[in-house]
């Protein structure tokens, strides 16, 4: 049974209604539970849980320290190409946007990698738009050959692929896969993804489980916050993580919390998520998914990122450039979205240390894996 079969047994409106009906006693029960489950998640995400934010935060902190200690995995994104055949309405790389299109050569990617390595990183996340004619198998193989010597861990956040293709990539040194569903609401998914391969909701939804079948060490998922009701998205990403933990148990599961930022297309988020909302979402999910990794990007401001450090986050990016070529050259291409935390990786690491956390630049070494 794929996750698509599972999610079809739920109705978005019913989950929204259930969350809206949760009361103060429901929240108190969820907070008192030894191992809160998915039903408790509905209560913890509800408006009724708003007044309990401080308590939620304290429990999320305790659970995170208990499971992960005071460490923070550090990584940097490396954008290979902003060529894309999709038309995601919220994205600066949308095929309909008239922007300069750049695809790094393997040599340019290596220069980017070397710059990222000089910043201290040993984990890199490779991103590209969906353009299989440009980001071909041969091209990507060449990129990986150039980057492998620089990094102990290489992740990808690219277009969905088959299990066979993922197996090849693992053989070439990629160890983690991230794919955001953007919204779990199938009825509205097409509104945000009107054309291109990405308009296929099911193909995208089942990508993480294909990654698990292929054998990726880590699977990253997440909704794009700001597209739709964050409380309902929160429930479904919890359901999805729960499914992956049970069915792809050899892989670690990580959730990201990207909030929509302004992009080249000037798209305004239809369902904005406030700072308190984001804190509630992260803390609620931490209580229900104590072993999942939580990732935070530089989309968020320095103040909020520092505040979120103890509340459940286990991995963060720093000093990010979201334009291809942005690390090695000051004149990189157009950025996918605006970065809010522009501090250097060294500064972020220092903040972590001041707060009693150890920044971990190398948490995995593919060369040592059997
Ligand atoms: S979100 Fe990804 S797939 Fe969609 S337009 Fe942007 S780069 Fe392309």
């Amino acid at each position: 049974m794929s996750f698509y079969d599972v999610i079809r047994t739920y109705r978005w409106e019913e989950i929204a209604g259930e969350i809206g009906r949760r009361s103060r006693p429901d929240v108190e029960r969820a907070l008192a539970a030894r191992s809160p489950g998915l039903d408790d998640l509905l209560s913890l995400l509800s408006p009724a849980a708003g007044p309990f934010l401080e308590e939620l935060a304290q429990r999320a902190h305790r659970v995170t320290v208990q499971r992960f200690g005071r460490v923070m995995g550090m990584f940097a994104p490396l954008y290979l190409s902003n060529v894309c055949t999709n038309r995601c309405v919220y994205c600066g790389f949308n095929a309909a946007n008239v922007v300069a299109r750049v695809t790094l050569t393997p040599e340019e990617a290596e220069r980017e990698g070397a710059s990222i390595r000089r910043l201290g990183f040993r984990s890199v996340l490779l991103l590209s738009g969906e353009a299989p004619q440009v980001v071909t198998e041969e091209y990507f193989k060449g990129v990986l050959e150039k980057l492998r010597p620089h990094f102990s861990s290489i992740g990808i956040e690219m277009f969905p692929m088959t299990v066979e293709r993922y197996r090849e990539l693992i053989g070439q040194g990629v160890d983690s896969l991230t794919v955001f569903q953007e919204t779990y609401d199938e009825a509205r998914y097409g509104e945000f993804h009107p054309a291109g391969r990405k308009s296929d909701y099911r193909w995208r939804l089942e990508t993480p489980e294909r990654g698990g079948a292929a054998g990726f060490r880590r699977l990253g998922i997440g909704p794009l916050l700001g597209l739709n009701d964050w409380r309902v998205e929160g429930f479904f990403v919890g359901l999805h993580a729960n499914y992956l933990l049970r069915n792809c148990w050899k892989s670690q599961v990580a959730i990201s919390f990207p909030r929509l930022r302004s992009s080249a297309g000037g798209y305004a988020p239809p369902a904005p998520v406030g700072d308190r909302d984001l804190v509630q979402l992260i803390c609620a999910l931490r209580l229900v998914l104590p072993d999942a990794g939580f990732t935070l990007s530089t989309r968020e401001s320095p103040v909020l990122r520092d505040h979120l450090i103890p509340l459940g986050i286990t991995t963060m990016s720093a000093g990010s450039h979201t334009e291809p070529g942005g690390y090695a050259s000051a004149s990189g291409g157009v950025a996918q979205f605006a970065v809010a935390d522009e501090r250097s990786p060294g500064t972020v690491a220092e903040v972590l240390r001041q707060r009693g956390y150890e920044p971990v630049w190398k948490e995995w070494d593919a060369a040592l894996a059997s």
Side-chain angles (χ1 to χ4, degrees), residues 177-199:
L177 168 72
T178 297
V179 60
F180 298 150
Q181 187 56 29
E182 321 296 15
T183 178
Y184 284 93
D185 184 357
E186 187 171 11
R188 292 196 63 198
Y189 182 85
E191 191 185 308
F192 305 118
H193 309 99
R197 187 74 172 100
K198 193 167 170 180
S199 57

Short mmCIF file of all heavy atoms in Angstrom, two decimals, residues 177-199:
data_model
loop_
_atom_site.label_atom_id
_atom_site.label_comp_id
_atom_site.label_asym_id
_atom_site.label_seq_id
_atom_site.Cartn_x
_atom_site.Cartn_y
_atom_site.Cartn_z
N LEU A 177 17.92 12.06 -0.10
CA LEU A 177 16.94 12.55 -1.08
C LEU A 177 15.93 13.43 -0.38
O LEU A 177 15.35 13.04 0.64
CB LEU A 177 16.20 11.35 -1.71
CG LEU A 177 14.97 11.69 -2.54
CD1 LEU A 177 15.38 12.33 -3.87
CD2 LEU A 177 14.15 10.43 -2.83
N THR A 178 15.72 14.63 -0.92
CA THR A 178 14.68 15.52 -0.39
C THR A 178 13.68 15.82 -1.49
O THR A 178 14.08 16.15 -2.62
CB THR A 178 15.31 16.85 0.11
OG1 THR A 178 16.20 16.55 1.18
CG2 THR A 178 14.24 17.82 0.60
N VAL A 179 12.42 15.68 -1.17
CA VAL A 179 11.39 16.09 -2.13
C VAL A 179 10.18 16.61 -1.35
O VAL A 179 9.60 15.91 -0.53
CB VAL A 179 11.01 14.94 -3.10
CG1 VAL A 179 10.49 13.72 -2.37
CG2 VAL A 179 10.00 15.40 -4.13
N PHE A 180 9.88 17.87 -1.57
CA PHE A 180 8.75 18.49 -0.86
C PHE A 180 7.47 18.25 -1.66
O PHE A 180 7.45 18.44 -2.88
CB PHE A 180 8.96 20.00 -0.71
CG PHE A 180 10.17 20.36 0.10
CD1 PHE A 180 10.86 21.54 -0.14
CD2 PHE A 180 10.62 19.54 1.12
CE1 PHE A 180 11.98 21.87 0.60
CE2 PHE A 180 11.74 19.86 1.88
CZ PHE A 180 12.42 21.04 1.61
N GLN A 181 6.41 17.91 -0.96
CA GLN A 181 5.13 17.72 -1.64
C GLN A 181 4.48 19.07 -1.94
O GLN A 181 3.56 19.16 -2.71
CB GLN A 181 4.21 16.83 -0.79
CG GLN A 181 2.92 16.42 -1.46
CD GLN A 181 3.14 15.70 -2.79
OE1 GLN A 181 4.16 15.04 -2.99
NE2 GLN A 181 2.19 15.83 -3.72
N GLU A 182 4.95 20.12 -1.30
CA GLU A 182 4.44 21.50 -1.46
C GLU A 182 3.07 21.63 -0.79
O GLU A 182 2.93 22.35 0.17
CB GLU A 182 4.38 21.96 -2.92
CG GLU A 182 5.57 21.52 -3.80
CD GLU A 182 6.92 22.07 -3.41
OE1 GLU A 182 7.08 22.58 -2.30
OE2 GLU A 182 7.87 21.94 -4.22
N THR A 183 2.03 20.97 -1.29
CA THR A 183 0.78 20.85 -0.53
C THR A 183 0.29 19.40 -0.63
O THR A 183 0.42 18.76 -1.69
CB THR A 183 -0.33 21.79 -1.02
OG1 THR A 183 -1.51 21.54 -0.21
CG2 THR A 183 -0.70 21.57 -2.47
N TYR A 184 -0.24 18.90 0.48
CA TYR A 184 -0.78 17.53 0.50
C TYR A 184 -2.24 17.51 0.02
O TYR A 184 -2.85 16.46 -0.04
CB TYR A 184 -0.68 16.94 1.91
CG TYR A 184 0.74 16.51 2.24
CD1 TYR A 184 1.63 17.38 2.89
CD2 TYR A 184 1.21 15.26 1.87
CE1 TYR A 184 2.93 16.99 3.16
CE2 TYR A 184 2.51 14.86 2.13
CZ TYR A 184 3.37 15.73 2.78
OH TYR A 184 4.66 15.35 3.04
N ASP A 185 -2.77 18.67 -0.28
CA ASP A 185 -4.17 18.80 -0.69
C ASP A 185 -4.28 18.51 -2.19
O ASP A 185 -4.03 19.40 -3.01
CB ASP A 185 -4.64 20.23 -0.36
CG ASP A 185 -6.10 20.45 -0.64
OD1 ASP A 185 -6.76 19.52 -1.14
OD2 ASP A 185 -6.59 21.56 -0.34
N GLU A 186 -4.68 17.30 -2.55
CA GLU A 186 -4.70 16.92 -3.97
C GLU A 186 -5.65 17.81 -4.77
O GLU A 186 -5.38 18.13 -5.93
CB GLU A 186 -5.11 15.44 -4.12
CG GLU A 186 -4.98 14.96 -5.56
CD GLU A 186 -5.15 13.45 -5.73
OE1 GLU A 186 -5.59 12.79 -4.76
OE2 GLU A 186 -4.85 12.96 -6.83
N ALA A 187 -6.75 18.24 -4.13
CA ALA A 187 -7.74 19.05 -4.84
C ALA A 187 -7.15 20.40 -5.27
O ALA A 187 -7.57 20.98 -6.27
CB ALA A 187 -8.97 19.27 -3.96
N ARG A 188 -6.20 20.91 -4.50
CA ARG A 188 -5.64 22.23 -4.84
C ARG A 188 -4.24 22.15 -5.45
O ARG A 188 -3.69 23.17 -5.88
CB ARG A 188 -5.61 23.11 -3.58
CG ARG A 188 -7.00 23.49 -3.11
CD ARG A 188 -6.96 24.65 -2.14
NE ARG A 188 -6.44 25.86 -2.74
CZ ARG A 188 -5.99 26.90 -2.04
NH1 ARG A 188 -5.98 26.86 -0.73
NH2 ARG A 188 -5.54 27.98 -2.65
N TYR A 189 -3.66 20.97 -5.45
CA TYR A 189 -2.29 20.81 -5.93
C TYR A 189 -2.12 21.36 -7.36
O TYR A 189 -1.15 22.07 -7.66
CB TYR A 189 -1.91 19.32 -5.86
CG TYR A 189 -0.50 19.03 -6.27
CD1 TYR A 189 0.56 19.12 -5.36
CD2 TYR A 189 -0.19 18.64 -7.59
CE1 TYR A 189 1.87 18.84 -5.75
CE2 TYR A 189 1.10 18.37 -7.97
CZ TYR A 189 2.12 18.47 -7.05
OH TYR A 189 3.42 18.20 -7.44
N GLY A 190 -3.11 21.07 -8.21
CA GLY A 190 -3.03 21.48 -9.62
C GLY A 190 -3.06 23.00 -9.79
O GLY A 190 -2.51 23.53 -10.76
N GLU A 191 -3.69 23.69 -8.87
CA GLU A 191 -3.75 25.16 -8.91
C GLU A 191 -2.34 25.76 -8.80
O GLU A 191 -2.03 26.77 -9.42
CB GLU A 191 -4.57 25.55 -7.68
CG GLU A 191 -5.05 26.93 -7.53
CD GLU A 191 -5.73 27.03 -6.15
OE1 GLU A 191 -6.63 26.22 -5.81
OE2 GLU A 191 -5.34 27.93 -5.41
N PHE A 192 -1.49 25.13 -8.01
CA PHE A 192 -0.13 25.64 -7.79
C PHE A 192 0.87 25.07 -8.80
O PHE A 192 1.95 25.60 -8.96
CB PHE A 192 0.35 25.30 -6.37
CG PHE A 192 -0.58 25.79 -5.29
CD1 PHE A 192 -1.21 24.90 -4.43
CD2 PHE A 192 -0.84 27.14 -5.15
CE1 PHE A 192 -2.07 25.35 -3.44
CE2 PHE A 192 -1.70 27.61 -4.17
CZ PHE A 192 -2.32 26.70 -3.31
N HIS A 193 0.48 23.95 -9.41
CA HIS A 193 1.39 23.27 -10.35
C HIS A 193 0.63 22.98 -11.64
O HIS A 193 0.29 21.83 -11.93
CB HIS A 193 1.91 21.97 -9.71
CG HIS A 193 2.48 22.19 -8.34
ND1 HIS A 193 1.78 21.94 -7.18
CD2 HIS A 193 3.67 22.69 -7.96
CE1 HIS A 193 2.53 22.27 -6.13
NE2 HIS A 193 3.67 22.73 -6.58
N PRO A 194 0.34 24.05 -12.40
CA PRO A 194 -0.59 23.89 -13.52
C PRO A 194 -0.02 23.15 -14.73
O PRO A 194 -0.80 22.69 -15.56
CB PRO A 194 -0.92 25.35 -13.89
CG PRO A 194 0.24 26.16 -13.38
CD PRO A 194 0.78 25.44 -12.19
N ALA A 195 1.30 23.06 -14.87
CA ALA A 195 1.84 22.43 -16.08
C ALA A 195 3.18 21.79 -15.78
O ALA A 195 3.82 22.10 -14.79
CB ALA A 195 2.00 23.47 -17.19
N GLY A 196 3.56 20.90 -16.69
CA GLY A 196 4.85 20.23 -16.54
C GLY A 196 4.69 18.93 -15.76
O GLY A 196 3.61 18.61 -15.24
N ARG A 197 5.78 18.20 -15.65
CA ARG A 197 5.75 16.88 -14.99
C ARG A 197 5.32 17.00 -13.53
O ARG A 197 4.73 16.08 -12.96
CB ARG A 197 7.17 16.28 -15.08
CG ARG A 197 7.28 14.86 -14.60
CD ARG A 197 6.67 13.91 -15.61
NE ARG A 197 6.91 12.50 -15.29
CZ ARG A 197 6.02 11.70 -14.71
NH1 ARG A 197 4.84 12.16 -14.36
NH2 ARG A 197 6.30 10.43 -14.49
N LYS A 198 5.62 18.14 -12.93
CA LYS A 198 5.32 18.28 -11.50
C LYS A 198 3.81 18.36 -11.23
O LYS A 198 3.38 18.28 -10.08
CB LYS A 198 6.04 19.52 -10.94
CG LYS A 198 6.03 19.57 -9.42
CD LYS A 198 7.00 20.61 -8.89
CE LYS A 198 6.84 20.84 -7.41
NZ LYS A 198 7.78 21.84 -6.91
N SER A 199 3.03 18.54 -12.26
CA SER A 199 1.59 18.61 -12.03
C SER A 199 1.00 17.24 -11.64
O SER A 199 -0.17 17.16 -11.27
CB SER A 199 0.88 19.18 -13.27
OG SER A 199 1.19 18.38 -14.39
#
